[in-house]
């Protein structure tokens, strides 16, 4: 893991610093079931550009949330897997699912 820059004193700000981007939360969602290749992630996220996805994955790797595994094959194969730290965010995402479901039900 790369050297972590100074994190905010507030725990909520720390969490947001690591996953406070739409794409990062959706990447976490898509990696919770297991390892995915770059192309699979890009397809499941829909409108994300290759550049943005690459940047987000690098930041998540630097933050210790994702492991990138590159295979020396032709064509090259790269896979992404959540680390134990990344997987520990599952309750946060579960809470977001619950809240979003309840919100949508109240709006209907």
């Amino acid at each position: 893991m790369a050297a972590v820059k100074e994190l905010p004193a507030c725990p909520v700000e720390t969490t947001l610093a690591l996953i406070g981007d739409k794409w990062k939360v959706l990447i976490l969602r898509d990696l919770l079931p297991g390892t995915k290749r770059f192309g699979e992630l890009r397809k499941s996220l829909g409108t994300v550009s290759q550049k943005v996805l690459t940047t987000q994955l690098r930041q998540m790797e630097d933050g210790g949330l994702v492991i990138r595994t590159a295979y020396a094959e032709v064509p090259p194969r790269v896979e992404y897997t959540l680390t134990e730290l990344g997987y520990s965010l599952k309750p946060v995402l579960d809470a977001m699912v619950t809240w979003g479901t309840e919100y949508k039900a109240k709006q209907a």
Side-chain angles (χ1 to χ4, degrees), residues 28 32 64-65 82-94:
L28 285 168
L32 278 171
L65 302 176
L82 289 180
T83 62
E84 192 174 323
L85 181 64
Y87 194 77
S88 73
L89 287 161
K90 184 180 185 318
V92 176
L93 270 66
D94 288 345

Side-chain angles (χ1 to χ4, degrees), residues 8-9 19 33 42 44 46 51-53 55 58-59 61 68 79 81 85 91 94 107-108:
I19 65 164
R42 186 160 179 216
S44 70
K51 180 182 178 193
V52 169
L53 180 56
T55 300
R58 283 187 185 143
Q59 290 172 356
E61 188 178 9
R68 177 184 187 271
E79 294 181 341
T81 307
L85 181 64
D94 288 345
Q107 298 303 309

Side-chain angles (χ1 to χ4, degrees), residues 2-24:
V4 177
K5 61 185 175 199
E6 184 90 17
L7 292 172
C10 172
V12 173
E13 285 184 67
T14 299
T15 305
L16 287 174
L18 291 169
I19 65 164
D21 179 88
K22 168 187 170 180
W23 297 117
K24 288 178 184 170

